[in-house]
Amino acid sequence: MKISQETYDETLLENEDIFELSPNEAVEETISQFKQQSITNLESYIVTSHPLSAKGKEERIVRSNFVSLLNKLDSFVKSDGTIDITINVEGKGGNDNSSSVIVNIIEEIHGFCRRGITKKVSEETKDSSDGDGNGNSDDNENGNDDSSSTEKGESIYYNNPVPFLTMAHSTSSLYTFMNLLSIVEFPKVTDAGTSTSTSSNTIATPTDDQTRILQSALKLLITLLCPTNKNEKDVKMTFKDAFVCMDRMVGLAAMYMTLMKQQQQQHQNEGECCKGENEVDVNGDSDDTMIMPFIETLTLIIQCIMNACKNCERNKVSFVRCLKAYNVSKSIEFLIGNMFDTLRNTVNRNNGDDQALSRGVREETVQVSKKKRESTIGILSTLMKLTLSLYHHQSSSESRTTTKTSSSLVILMTECCKLISVLCRFDDFRTSESANSANNHASMVDSSYGGVSSAHDHVLEFNREGIIPTLHELILLSLEQQKRQEKMDTTSSDGDSSNRYDTYAVGLAAAAMSATRVLAVNDEIVQALVAVGILKSIKVALDMGVVAKKMEEEADDGQCNSNVDYSDADNSESDNKEKIFEEDNSKDDDDVADNDNLPTTNDRSEDMNQKNIDTKRQQLTSGAIGLIRNLCGNDEIKTTLCLGTTTSNGSNDLTTIVVPSILPSIIQGMNIYKKNSSIQEHGCGTLAAMALRKPSNALRILHEDGASSILTAMKLFPSNVLVQRQGALAIRNIVSRLVANTSALESLQEGEKKTQGRSDSKAQEGCLQATDGNSSKSINVRDIFLDLGAEVILRGITGRHQGSVDEAYAALRDLGCPVSMVKYDAEKQTTTTRTVMFGDIDVKSTFRPVYEESS
């Protein structure tokens, strides 16, 4: 239940007058009075300060101005939901004036909803005599009082967007913002499915005013749907639940995909004409200017869809199924069909030219079924392939390879990869009761799957659309671009390493690996990933993120005497198509020439660049280790990753792929980036998966000092349940496989015979040496963990989290520590013994809870 600002002010003044309270006492009494009536959280949507105080007057002026902006924007929306930009504004007519006013209003609302206000109203009113929304000149009579309005307390609106977000929600302004998307009109379609405006398949290009309004509206919606801190989460989740324009978003995406391809094809035709007349093609920059608005708008559309779907299962299903509904607009159906027709016609004109369209687009757009036209996942997959083909076209053109257009295309592909990650991951952990109480809707969390996650279905549909080769191509593309950038910086004469890491390329690599990780949910997809060469790509990404950082630190200490080499450790022959794996013997560009006369500002700039480099390295490392974690669901592949392979027998067995052991790089990454919780979680999870059912892998992890890395991560993140859970699982899996030394030895000897001439001989030899001889000479795996303080961590940290208590129990049990589970009653503050669990100490002492394979 909520109250209005007027009701609050009237009640406060009445309490002050009747009970003869001071202003502060009146505020406290009024808030307490409403709390007794179950009206809470007043500060989030109304001004609670005294209405007659200087601070209260200032806050009410700000609130009034914001509400006025919302009302002005709503006045441009007609009854049918369309936008009227032809109306007069303040006595002035003309489309340009109305469009500019709409954009200015949206930008002001966006500022309020993004960061609140940054200065007092009295300061703003002095700078704006015409009253532009941040302080009207009519209220200047309070200006003298406002000069000291914040002496007794800072306004709740300073750097706080929550009150403005709540006001926008309470006034249902979200629907006005969504109506702004209709500023770009869809083609009118007859019942026969043909456009009434044109006989050709060409779609009219939106005007500059329409594009500006659409982009401003999309940026505002992105801010409303993307929480930046915990205080904003609740109110922004209400915006997600009320987001109801997925069909229009998909239609806009299809429309701008068609416009982007039409513009690129037009530029190609013009270039051929110029070459035929022996003229110089000078349209490179003009092409960038014409196609850039389409790319930027598409990027904003994808970002808006991603933010709407994140943490909201209902919106994910709404996006995926929006074209399968019975009431889909004929205009949207026309746009989807027109998009596929444009791509198919382009394929026919190019006659299979590889530089015009990538292989995936050529093969999949020749025959487009009705089912594909009804699949938004198919449209998203096509968008990625189309953007990739446009990027290749830009890179192969005669103009400079690194252009603003190319960077924008990389950003668009990055956002598409992020959207795939969101759609294929379940992240809506709200209960139906909490959603209902917040929104008064019966099915806010209901995904139309009966309360079951839709992520698995989305994964399977993406796999059917053939997205895996595209994602791998994006990983190769971004890593190759980064490698090229490093080579350019290394050979530069000025020694400037400020651009050593291509921000966009590394971001694309991390996003593509994250998208690949969420797809690796079953053995069929994992084997498909290995078949396209994902293992070697992961190795390169880890080398860029981990090995380069390690050698840079050694160089800073004066201990680095070798060059960074991102090629494979075994120097094996690589695929000619994968240029990223070619050896590069160029020197690392970490030793920058000394310039004593540089100003202090340049030193600060170098520090910022170094921080940016470290951030990108961590993104690569986190993405690579996270992908490895999911690939380890396959027993043969995780053994290959852990122990490595050195030879190939030419068979189709996936474990014969040439790749060195990737375990040292994983542990190095955990040791180098100790403060990164994501890397620590993925690292512990990967080690746990590698050790599961594989004693040889578990022993190799111990030899690489993996035990210390696991426990260090658990100590550094005591409140992170995910790190604690994965760390306890890793301890349990390693100990349970090696606690019986004789069994471990037999397993290793048998595995060595089966993998003779295939597995990494040095790794196997090291494992066998560790367990050589009788069981008394073997290592005591329990002592390794206990000496490092595992028992203290598992009891005092991991076992205190509800989400990791079961894993802590299992780890302590296998470490041989006396442990039992108790049930704690928070109200009575008492503990009671729980039912005896599987594997409890002194229960059925002859029963072994650890499964061992028979010989």
Side-chain angles (χ1 to χ4, degrees):
M1 183 176 179
K2 294 182 179 181
I3 60 173
S4 64
Q5 183 69 55
E6 291 74 15
T7 301
Y8 174 84
D9 292 344
E10 292 176 2
T11 306
L12 188 150
L13 294 175
E14 183 179 354
N15 289 339
E16 182 180 12
D17 182 43
I18 295 176
F19 300 108
E20 297 181 355
L21 302 175
S22 66
N24 291 336
E25 291 174 344
V27 171
E28 295 176 359
E29 173 63 25
T30 304
I31 294 176
S32 175
Q33 178 180 341
F34 283 117
K35 283 184 178 179
Q36 293 177 3
Q37 302 174 18
S38 300
I39 302 175
T40 59
N41 201 22
L42 294 174
E43 295 84 356
S44 65
Y45 63 94
I46 65 172
V47 179
T48 58
S49 56
H50 199 283
L52 300 181
S53 66
K55 176 183 175 182
K57 292 178 181 179
E58 180 183 13
E59 291 179 342
R60 282 162 177 79
I61 291 174
V62 174
R63 185 181 188 279
S64 176
N65 291 336
F66 182 72
V67 173
S68 176
L69 288 173
L70 296 178
N71 293 334
K72 287 181 180 178
L73 188 61
D74 188 63
S75 65
F76 290 95
V77 181
K78 297 190 294 186
S79 59
D80 59 353
T82 59
I83 307 301
D84 187 2
I85 61 174
T86 62
I87 63 175
N88 295 337
V89 180
E90 297 179 358
K92 299 178 181 179
N95 295 354
D96 293 340
N97 181 67
S98 299
S99 301
S100 300
V101 170
I102 294 175
V103 171
N104 291 337
I105 293 176
I106 296 174
E107 291 177 351
E108 289 186 44
I109 295 174
H110 188 194
F112 281 119
C113 294
R114 184 178 182 183
R115 56 184 178 272
I117 60 174
T118 57
K119 59 182 178 179
K120 293 187 295 185
V121 176
S122 57
E123 296 176 354
E124 296 180 350
T125 53
K126 293 178 182 178
D127 299 333
S128 56
S129 58
D130 56 348
D132 59 353
N134 288 327
N136 295 325
S137 58
D138 297 337
D139 296 317
N140 284 340
E141 59 183 4
N142 298 322
N144 296 332
D145 295 334
D146 289 342
S147 60
S148 59
S149 61
T150 58
E151 292 180 358
K152 296 184 179 180
E154 192 175 64
S155 171
I156 61 171
Y157 293 140
Y158 290 142
N159 301 317
N160 181 21
V162 175
F164 300 105
L165 294 170
T166 309
M167 281 187 281
H169 172 65
S170 62
T171 58
S172 300
S173 296
L174 177 64
Y175 298 101
T176 300
F177 304 151
M178 290 189 290
N179 282 329
L180 291 173
L181 301 178
S182 63
I183 188 65
V184 176
E185 298 181 357
F186 290 164
K188 295 181 180 181
V189 182
T190 63
D191 294 336
T194 59
S195 174
T196 60
S197 58
T198 176
S199 58
S200 63
N201 289 332
T202 304
I203 296 178
T205 303
T207 64
D208 292 341
D209 290 336
Q210 290 176 326
T211 301
R212 289 174 56 210
I213 294 176
L214 178 61
Q215 291 184 353
S216 299
L218 288 170
K219 292 176 183 178
L220 175 57
L221 287 172
I222 290 171
T223 298
L224 295 178
L225 298 170
C226 180
T228 56
N229 55 61
K230 294 182 179 180
N231 296 331
E232 300 176 2
K233 184 176 181 180
D234 290 340
V235 64
K236 289 193 174 182
M237 287 305 298
T238 61
F239 286 123
K240 290 176 184 283
D241 293 332
F243 193 80
V244 291
C245 58
M246 281 298 182
D247 54 346
R248 173 156 285 273
M249 300 296 293
V250 173
L252 286 171
M255 181 177 182
Y256 276 89
M257 286 172 62
T258 306
L259 291 171
M260 186 170 62
K261 189 58 194 174
Q262 286 179 357
Q263 180 61 39
Q264 189 251 357
Q265 186 61 41
Q266 180 181 354
H267 174 69
Q268 283 185 350
N269 296 338
E270 293 176 354
E272 293 175 357
C273 294
C274 292
K275 292 178 181 179
E277 298 174 2
N278 296 326
E279 295 180 3
V280 180
D281 183 11
V282 294
N283 292 328
D285 294 337
S286 62
D287 180 46
D288 291 349
T289 304
M290 295 297 295
I291 202 173
M292 275 299 296
F294 305 145
I295 300 174
E296 293 173 350
T297 305
L298 260 176
T299 303
L300 293 173
I301 292 171
I302 297 300
Q303 286 179 343
C304 188
I305 296 174
M306 178 190 65
N307 285 307
C309 293
K310 192 173 184 180
N311 303 120
C312 186
E313 186 70 13
R314 174 180 173 273
N315 285 349
K316 294 179 186 179
V317 177
S318 176
F319 169 71
V320 173
R321 293 187 172 184
C322 68
L323 296 181
K324 299 176 182 179
Y326 68 93
N327 57 347
V328 178
S329 169
K330 291 187 177 296
S331 297
I332 295 179
E333 291 181 346
F334 172 79
L335 287 171
I336 301 298
N338 186 276
M339 177 196 70
F340 285 113
D341 291 341
T342 301
L343 295 177
R344 183 172 63 250
N345 294 336
T346 304
V347 171
N348 295 334
R349 283 195 298 268
N350 286 282
N351 295 323
D353 186 2
D354 286 345
Q355 293 183 351
L357 282 174
S358 64
R359 181 177 56 188
V361 176
R362 288 201 317 272
E363 293 176 352
E364 296 194 14
T365 54
V366 173
Q367 298 294 334
V368 182
S369 64
K370 183 178 184 296
K371 183 177 180 180
K372 188 177 183 66
R373 292 175 185 245
E374 294 179 352
S375 170
T376 50
I377 287 182
I379 294 174
L380 180 59
S381 302
T382 304
L383 172 59
M384 292 186 63
K385 296 167 186 176
L386 172 62
T387 309
L388 183 60
S389 69
L390 291 177
Y391 179 86
H392 287 317
H393 171 72
Q394 289 286 331
S395 300
S396 62
S397 62
E398 297 179 358
S399 60
R400 58 186 183 278
T401 57
T402 304
T403 63
K404 186 177 180 181
T405 302
S406 298
S407 299
S408 299
L409 289 170
V410 170
I411 295 174
L412 176 55
M413 290 186 286
T414 302
E415 297 302 323
C416 290
C417 291
K418 291 180 180 179
L419 178 55
I420 293 176
S421 299
V422 169
L423 293 174
C424 298
R425 180 191 296 117
F426 181 78
D427 52 11
D428 189 355
F429 299 102
R430 298 174 296 161
T431 61
S432 299
E433 290 77 10
S434 64
N436 295 341
S437 61
N439 303 283
N440 295 323
H441 288 287
S443 59
M444 284 293 100
V445 184
D446 182 17
S447 65
S448 300
Y449 279 76
V452 181
S453 170
S454 61
H456 188 71
D457 285 349
H458 298 167
V459 169
L460 297 181
E461 190 166 352
F462 272 116
N463 186 40
R464 288 193 294 268
E465 294 293 338
I467 198 65
I468 288 177
T470 304
L471 288 174
H472 184 246
E473 187 175 355
L474 291 180
I475 296 174
L476 292 177
L477 171 70
S478 54
L479 294 179
E480 183 179 354
Q481 174 64 26
Q482 176 54 42
K483 194 174 179 68
R484 188 186 305 115
Q485 180 67 39
E486 290 181 356
K487 187 174 182 180
M488 292 173 58
D489 292 330
T490 302
T491 58
S492 61
S493 58
D494 56 1
D496 181 16
S497 62
S498 60
N499 294 324
R500 175 171 166 70
Y501 262 65
D502 189 313
T503 304
Y504 300 135
V506 176
L508 176 59
M513 284 189 289
S514 178
T516 306
R517 178 172 72 88
V518 298
L519 292 175
V521 297
N522 58 41
D523 191 64
E524 178 186 353
I525 297 177
V526 169
Q527 293 189 31
L529 287 169
V530 175
V532 298
I534 196 66
L535 300 184
K536 298 175 75 175
S537 302
I538 294 173
K539 176 62 177 173
V540 174
L542 268 181
D543 285 345
M544 287 185 174
V546 175
V547 178
K549 175 66 175 178
K550 180 179 177 61
M551 299 193 71
E552 182 180 275
E553 292 178 349
E554 293 176 351
D556 293 338
D557 296 336
Q559 299 176 356
C560 183
N561 297 318
S562 61
N563 301 328
V564 176
D565 185 5
Y566 293 141
S567 60
D568 292 337
D570 57 351
N571 293 324
S572 60
E573 183 179 0
S574 59
D575 192 343
N576 292 331
K577 296 182 180 180
E578 299 178 352
K579 298 181 180 179
I580 182 65
F581 302 112
E582 294 179 356
E583 287 195 26
D584 183 4
N585 296 322
S586 60
K587 294 184 177 180
D588 187 72
D589 191 37
D590 291 320
D591 298 328
V592 183
D594 294 332
N595 294 316
D596 297 334
N597 30 345
L598 286 177
T600 308
T601 54
N602 286 351
D603 294 337
R604 288 197 298 266
S605 178
E606 290 181 2
D607 293 339
M608 292 298 295
N609 289 331
Q610 185 60 43
K611 290 181 180 179
N612 184 51
I613 290 174
D614 289 340
T615 299
K616 296 307 174 185
R617 282 174 173 163
Q618 291 181 47
Q619 289 180 357
L620 281 176
T621 305
S622 178
I625 297 178
L627 179 52
I628 295 171
R629 176 181 174 182
N630 279 29
L631 294 177
C632 287
N634 182 291
D635 286 351
E636 294 183 355
I637 292 173
K638 73 183 180 186
T639 301
T640 298
L641 290 170
C642 185
L643 303 180
T645 58
T646 56
T647 59
S648 177
N649 58 14
S651 67
N652 293 327
D653 188 358
L654 293 177
T655 60
T656 62
I657 295 176
V658 180
V659 62
S661 173
I662 212 164
L663 180 62
S665 297
I666 295 174
I667 296 177
Q668 283 180 12
M670 296 177 65
N671 296 335
I672 292 174
Y673 304 115
K674 293 181 178 180
K675 296 183 179 180
N676 190 305
S677 61
S678 178
I679 292 177
Q680 300 303 320
E681 179 204 342
H682 289 320
C684 291
T686 301
L687 298 181
M690 283 183 172
L692 183 63
R693 298 187 299 272
K694 293 294 179 180
S696 58
N697 294 354
L699 201 55
R700 178 65 184 270
I701 292 172
L702 291 181
H703 289 163
E704 295 292 342
D705 201 18
S708 177
S709 299
I710 293 169
L711 293 172
T712 299
M714 298 174 72
K715 285 187 289 187
L716 290 177
F717 297 95
S719 60
N720 192 315
V721 181
L722 297 177
V723 174
Q724 297 300 321
R725 182 175 185 272
Q726 295 302 324
L729 277 175
I731 295 173
R732 185 266 169 193
N733 290 349
I734 294 172
V735 173
S736 64
R737 295 302 161 192
L738 298 179
V739 68
N741 295 312
T742 304
S743 176
L745 176 60
E746 293 175 354
S747 299
L748 289 175
Q749 289 174 337
E750 182 180 356
E752 193 272 340
K753 293 178 181 179
K754 291 181 179 180
T755 57
Q756 187 88 25
R758 178 177 59 83
S759 296
D760 189 344
S761 58
K762 292 184 179 180
Q764 292 283 11
E765 183 180 354
C767 293
L768 289 171
Q769 288 177 354
T771 56
D772 193 15
N774 56 36
S775 61
S776 62
K777 295 182 181 179
S778 301
I779 62 173
N780 192 325
V781 64
R782 287 175 172 172
D783 289 345
I784 292 178
F785 282 99
L786 293 175
D787 291 344
L788 292 172
E791 183 177 4
V792 176
I793 295 174
L794 290 170
R795 290 188 188 275
I797 300 177
T798 312
R800 294 183 180 273
H801 294 289
Q802 188 65 33
S804 58
V805 62
D806 291 336
E807 289 74 15
Y809 172 86
L812 287 168
R813 179 198 65 200
D814 291 340
L815 284 171
C817 302
V819 59
S820 62
M821 276 193 163
V822 295
K823 185 177 181 180
Y824 178 72
D825 191 332
E827 296 181 356
K828 299 180 180 179
Q829 295 186 349
T830 59
T831 58
T832 56
T833 304
R834 289 183 53 180
T835 305
V836 176
M837 296 189 63
F838 173 80
D840 274 343
I841 303 298
D842 296 331
V843 178
K844 297 183 180 180
S845 57
T846 59
F847 177 72
R848 302 186 62 82
V850 179
Y851 169 77
E852 297 178 1
E853 296 180 357
S854 59
S855 58

